[in-house]
């Protein structure tokens, strides 16, 4: 557990999570090399060195492993073969197995079911007949999701039970085939998530659960502390810790939950990395989720997860931009006390693209919410 500021951290992926990780790494004195696997949006900047070659380039693999002391992923959809190759040469945190489980909804849901952790009812299907059987088994509306490569609601299709559904053949064709999970649609009372960090020695810490509000399947705001009974929040922390331990996980992980109308917590999915609902930790917690990840990677003691101030995180999507290259006027945010603007350096705005976020802090959660809502209104949301 020696602090070595010469440590070079290798990051697989080129998005905003790696950017915020790199910002914290710089503050802590570490060097960062990113391998983005392709074109970069601008979010990859702030690394000492950026590799943009495809993930199957052997020369780049060699350069990456020659230069980095330890490697991590900033998003989970990194090919398994690459994770294995990297891990054969340098420590990879989190490890290949844990990332593989989280990048595939079939493995993920099966893992949860095997460990007795409650989830929405589901079936795995790979043909129209399978879909027809699943639709007979699961009552009410369902959501079809691709087993791989989904994020921000991509690769999902809602299938309502009323009015009468199209035939399974037609639905399967509309969905595009492949391999899918058919998931019972939960009548949500709330959504929440818990960030957990597990050190190399197996010790764990959790952050205060975030209450998450989505719009069109994309996270809109996270509210911390969540406005839910304490016993429920404690239960969410306990389940999230159980999931982390069962995975034998090392690093920071986000565990997403549905709360149904009966008050039951169901695990939706896990994100094997810092998570969008943990962005407030940069401004509102003693140790951010990104610093925490660096601490685990470098085998340093875990930091305090204490919330210093109630916070509301608002995601800034590209829809807010007047044009692809024109940003909104941030004056309302800049004039709001307790508001911190974070922009990810992406050169082009597109609808649904995450361009940045704002953390609104207040002395109470109501004050933070009032500030967030006033700014949202001022920016036309
Ligand atoms: P992300 O990676 O951004 O979390 P994702 O593509 O992995 O998104 P999910 O987390 O599965 O997608 O779904 C996104 C959102 O869609 C959920 O947070 C929830 O609001 C809604 N949703 C997904 N599945 C269900 C379900 N079974 N019942 C009710 N709502 C759901
Ligand atoms: Mg999700």
């Amino acid at each position: 557990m020696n602090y070595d500021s010469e440590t070079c951290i290798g990051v697989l992926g080129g998005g905003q999570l790696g950017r915020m990780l790199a910002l914290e790494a710089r503050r802590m004195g570490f060097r960062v090399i990113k391998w983005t696997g392709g074109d970069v949006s601008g979010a990859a900047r702030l690394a000492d060195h950026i590799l943009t070659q495809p993930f199957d380039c052997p020369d780049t693999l060699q350069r990456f492993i020659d230069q980095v002391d330890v490697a991590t992923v900033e998003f989970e959809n990194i090919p398994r073969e690459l994770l294995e190759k990297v891990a054969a040469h340098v420590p990879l945190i989190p490890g290949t197995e844990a990332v593989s489980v989280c990048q595939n909804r079939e493995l993920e849901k099966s893992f949860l079911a095997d460990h007795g952790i409650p989830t929405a009812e589901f079936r795995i299907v790979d043909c129209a007949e399978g879909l027809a059987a699943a639709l007979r088994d699961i009552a009410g509306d369902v959501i079809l999701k691709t087993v791989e490569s989904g994020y921000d609601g991509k690769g999902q299709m809602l299938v309502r039970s009323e009015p009468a559904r199209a035939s399974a053949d037609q639905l399967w064709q509309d969905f595009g085939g492949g391999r899918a999970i058919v998931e019972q649609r939960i009548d949500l009372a709330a959504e929440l998530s818990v960030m957990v960090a597990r050190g190399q020695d197996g010790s764990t810490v959790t952050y205060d659960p975030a209450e998450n509000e989505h719009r069109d399947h994309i996270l809109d705001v996270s509210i911390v502390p969540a406005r839910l009974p304490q016993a429920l929040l404690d239960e969410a922390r306990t389940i999230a810790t159980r999931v982390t331990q069962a995975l034998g996980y090392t690093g920071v992980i986000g565990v997403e939950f549905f709360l149904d109308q009966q008050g039951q917590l169901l695990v939706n999915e896990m994100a094997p990395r810092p998570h969008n609902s943990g962005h407030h930790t940069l401004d509102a917690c003693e140790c951010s989720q990104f610093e925490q990840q660096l601490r685990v990677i470098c085998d340093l003691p875990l930091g305090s997860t204490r919330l210093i101030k109630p916070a509301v995180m608002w995601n800034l999507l590209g829809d807010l931009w007047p044009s692809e290259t024109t940003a909104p006027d941030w004056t309302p945010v800049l004039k709001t006390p307790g508001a911190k603007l974070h922009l990810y350096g992406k050169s082009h705005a597109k609808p649904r693209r995450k361009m940045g976020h704002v953390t609104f802090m207040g002395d109470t959660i109501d004050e933070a919410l009032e500030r967030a809502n006033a700014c949202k209104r001022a920016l036309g949301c």
Side-chain angles (χ1 to χ4, degrees):
M1 288 220 186
N2 286 328
Y3 197 110
D4 179 0
S5 60
E6 282 303 297
T7 302
C8 180
I9 294 159
V11 179
L12 297 170
Q16 63 268 14
L17 296 171
R19 178 186 176 93
M20 288 181 265
L21 188 78
L23 273 169
E24 291 283 72
R26 293 217 145 181
R27 180 177 55 77
M28 295 169 80
F30 301 125
R31 289 187 302 128
V32 176
I33 293 183
K34 291 189 190 170
W35 185 0
T36 66
D39 287 344
V40 290
S41 61
R45 286 195 299 256
L46 305 173
D48 294 78
H49 198 58
I50 303 175
L51 305 165
T52 56
Q53 290 80 359
F55 284 137
D56 58 1
C57 171
D59 291 345
T60 310
L61 174 65
Q62 196 58 51
R63 281 169 67 197
F64 185 77
I65 58 182
D66 281 351
Q67 294 179 73
V68 310
D69 298 299
V70 56
T72 189
V73 298
E74 69 98 51
F75 86 133
E76 55 273 32
N77 294 327
I78 305 282
R80 185 184 167 110
E81 306 82 75
L82 177 61
L83 298 176
E84 282 170 353
K85 284 178 185 157
V86 169
H89 295 94
V90 291
L92 175 70
I93 294 170
T96 307
E97 283 311 318
V99 176
S100 301
V101 169
C102 301
Q103 69 183 196
N104 180 302
R105 291 188 199 275
E106 178 176 0
L107 297 179
E108 185 176 51
K109 283 283 197 310
S110 308
F111 166 85
L112 293 167
D114 291 349
H115 287 83
I117 293 160
T119 65
E121 201 184 340
F122 70 94
R123 297 284 183 283
I124 305 295
V125 301
D126 61 3
C127 60
E129 295 73 46
L131 175 60
L135 293 175
R136 280 194 300 275
D137 285 357
I138 304 178
D141 300 345
V142 299
I143 301 180
L144 250 102
K145 302 181 180 181
T146 53
V147 294
E148 276 180 329
S149 311
Y151 67 98
D152 291 342
K154 293 194 174 90
Q156 300 197 9
M157 190 170 102
L158 172 64
V159 181
R160 293 190 187 278
S161 59
E162 301 286 343
R165 290 170 176 140
S167 71
D169 280 336
Q170 186 61 51
L171 288 169
W172 191 240
Q173 199 181 328
D174 293 348
F175 185 68
R179 199 168 173 82
I181 180 162
V182 184
E183 204 177 281
Q184 172 195 20
R185 186 188 193 211
I186 304 299
D187 185 7
L188 297 170
E191 289 190 73
L192 53 161
S193 55
V194 180
M195 300 308 305
V196 185
R198 186 160 182 265
Q200 295 192 31
D201 62 358
S203 54
T204 58
V205 291
T206 56
Y207 285 87
D208 282 281
E211 176 187 346
N212 300 324
E213 292 179 357
H214 291 78
R215 259 192 184 190
D216 299 330
H217 293 258
I218 302 183
L219 184 65
D220 180 31
V221 292
S222 289
I223 301 164
V224 193
R227 297 159 303 169
L228 292 162
Q230 191 56 48
L232 197 93
L233 302 180
D234 292 344
E235 190 190 342
R237 282 175 118 139
T238 304
I239 298 174
T241 304
R242 254 177 73 205
V243 170
T244 309
Q245 283 168 344
L247 267 176
Y249 192 83
T250 312
V252 168
I253 185 169
V255 182
E256 295 179 14
F257 292 89
F258 297 144
L259 179 68
D260 71 12
Q261 297 292 341
Q262 288 70 49
Q264 205 196 349
L265 282 168
L266 305 168
V267 172
N268 171 26
E269 60 174 356
M270 294 89 81
R273 48 170 170 78
H275 188 257
N276 198 166
S277 68
H279 288 356
H280 68 281
T281 62
L282 278 169
D283 303 307
C285 288
E286 286 182 342
C287 175
S288 78
Q289 59 171 349
F290 301 100
E291 175 172 346
Q292 201 75 269
Q293 180 78 315
L294 293 162
R295 285 178 180 234
V296 176
I297 291 171
C298 298
D299 201 14
L300 301 169
L302 296 179
S304 158
T305 57
R306 195 174 79 84
L307 184 72
I308 303 166
K309 283 215 148 192
V312 174
M313 188 284 314
W314 176 38
N315 261 342
L316 303 172
L317 301 186
D319 310 62
L320 209 60
W321 266 237
S323 86
E324 261 202 358
T325 50
T326 318
D329 176 359
W330 297 118
T331 306
V333 176
L334 298 173
K335 283 190 166 173
T336 301
K340 288 271 191 186
L341 177 64
H342 297 251
L343 294 171
Y344 304 150
K346 298 184 183 179
S347 52
H348 285 76
K350 291 191 187 124
R352 298 170 69 89
R353 184 178 220 183
K354 289 176 181 167
M355 301 295 289
H357 71 268
V358 186
T359 309
F360 296 94
M361 287 163 287
D363 290 333
T364 62
I365 195 60
D366 287 339
E367 185 175 52
L369 272 166
E370 272 163 33
R371 289 172 172 174
N373 289 332
C375 273
K376 286 176 85 169
R377 277 194 301 276
L379 281 152
C381 289

